């Protein structure tokens, strides 16, 4: 059904524009935010571990790979770490400040400590609209940490990302366009009446290479 494929491509481009991704961005529709998050973590890990893991699996004698997120993150992230075989213990739940946003100082310290201990950090998951309070993590600062340590930055905007369209709230989302991938749920704030999630990635080539 090439028609369906064309519609998906167009919708994905629209959703990318909505979060200020450039025209080179791409993505795919999923059954929901949980599948979008799971797919993002798989792509992120492939980038760090190489395509070899498709053959060897994670049990090739290397150190555990670690994910960094806040303790306000949606449960689909630790769940994806379980399903993908990274293990929930390797999801570092960074504490939040008094506005329920990830503490970037602690984030950097935790990454550094894990590196010192021989672990292999590969991904930071920031939230753009947490489930409990709607808080948006300091995306720009977190993007700088991701760049510093060469980590994939995924932003879970499943429910909150469309708020970037509100001029009064736009500043909260500064840095969203720096994320390597963003998940966004059309079945939430965009009122699509059937299950529909979306994973957007800034660089189509990286995502393609992962598979
Ligand atoms: C709803 C939500 C998810 C999970 O999405 P589903 O569509 O229910 O799979 C993930 N993250 C956040 C922040 C959400 O609000």
């Amino acid at each position: 059904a090439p028609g369906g494929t064309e519609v998906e491509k167009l919708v994905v481009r629209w959703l990318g524009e909505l979060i200020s991704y450039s025209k080179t961005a791409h993505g795919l529709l999923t059954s929901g935010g949980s599948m979008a998050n799971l797919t993002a973590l798989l792509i992120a890990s492939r980038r760090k571990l190489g395509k070899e893991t498709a053959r060897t699996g994670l049990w090739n004698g290397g150190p555990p790979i670690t994910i960094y997120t806040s303790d306000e993150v949606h449960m689909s992230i630790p769940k994806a770490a379980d399903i993908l075989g990274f293990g929930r213990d390797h999801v570092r739940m960074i504490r939040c400040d008094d506005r329920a946003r990830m503490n970037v100082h602690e984030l950097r310290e935790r990454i550094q400590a894990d590196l010192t201990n021989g672990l292999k950090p590969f991904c930071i998951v920031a939230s753009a609209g947490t489930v409990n309070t709607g808080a948006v993590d300091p995306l720009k600062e977190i993007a700088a940490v991701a760049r510093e340590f060469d980590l994939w930055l995924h932003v879970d905007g499943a429910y909150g990302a469309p708020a970037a369209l509100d001029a009064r709230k736009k500043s909260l989302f500064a840095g969203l366009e720096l994320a390597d991938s963003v998940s966004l749920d059309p079945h939430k704030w965009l009122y699509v009446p059937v299950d529909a999630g979306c994973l957007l990635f800034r660089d189509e080539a990286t995502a393609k290479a992962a598979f």
Side-chain angles (χ1 to χ4, degrees), residues 32-34 37 74 76 129 131 156 158-159 185 187-188:
S34 302
N37 284 340
H74 186 269
S76 59
V131 180
D156 183 358
Y159 127 77
D185 267 1
H187 69 208
K188 287 180 180 161

Side-chain angles (χ1 to χ4, degrees), residues 88-102:
R88 288 173 188 253
D89 281 358
H90 299 117
V91 180
R92 310 307 199 204
M93 303 286 201
I94 308 298
R95 278 187 305 186
C96 287
D97 62 18
D98 56 4
R99 298 181 60 205
R101 298 154 27 117
M102 192 194 296

Side-chain angles (χ1 to χ4, degrees), residues 5-206:
T5 304
E6 284 306 314
V7 170
E8 179 178 15
K9 279 181 165 174
L10 182 62
V11 167
V12 163
R13 190 139 27 85
W14 284 341
L15 292 172
E17 281 171 20
L18 202 141
I19 61 155
S20 303
Y21 261 174
S22 77
K23 281 205 166 26
T24 56
H26 224 294
L28 70 157
L29 297 179
T30 65
S31 57
S34 302
M35 279 309 296
N37 284 340
L38 182 134
T39 309
L41 290 187
L42 181 59
I43 293 171
S45 70
R46 283 288 160 83
R47 174 175 167 271
K48 198 71 175 182
L49 296 173
K51 256 195 286 195
E52 279 291 279
T53 35
R55 234 174 16 83
T56 63
L58 291 172
W59 308 108
N60 57 3
I65 56 174
T66 46
I67 302 167
Y68 302 80
T69 191
S70 89
D71 54 13
E72 291 283 321
V73 75
H74 186 269
M75 60 166 185
S76 59
I77 294 296
K79 210 180 241 182
D82 167 10
I83 294 168
L84 292 167
F86 307 147
R88 288 173 188 253
D89 281 358
H90 299 117
V91 180
R92 310 307 199 204
M93 303 286 201
I94 308 298
R95 278 187 305 186
C96 287
D97 62 18
D98 56 4
R99 298 181 60 205
R101 298 154 27 117
M102 192 194 296
N103 182 319
V104 180
H105 179 70
E106 282 197 21
L107 168 68
R108 184 182 273 108
E109 283 195 334
R110 192 66 212 256
I111 294 170
Q112 234 141 18
D114 281 343
L115 282 169
T116 305
N117 289 322
L119 300 176
K120 208 167 179 175
F122 78 100
C123 182
I124 302 174
V125 179
S127 302
T130 60
V131 180
N132 288 336
T133 66
V136 180
D137 285 334
L139 302 176
K140 227 174 190 164
E141 292 171 46
I142 293 172
V145 174
R147 203 162 42 236
E148 181 183 340
F149 292 98
D150 189 28
L151 309 180
W152 185 276
L153 174 59
H154 175 64
V155 173
D156 183 358
Y159 127 77
L165 289 173
D166 184 339
R168 295 165 302 176
K169 298 291 173 197
K170 205 167 178 62
S171 62
L172 283 175
F173 295 87
L176 183 59
E177 72 287 350
L178 300 172
D180 295 295
S181 56
V182 175
S183 45
L184 194 168
D185 267 1
H187 69 208
K188 287 180 180 161
W189 231 352
L190 300 180
Y191 302 104
V192 169
V194 292
D195 285 353
C198 179
L199 175 65
L200 298 160
F201 20 77
R202 195 158 46 83
D203 175 24
E204 186 182 9
T206 317

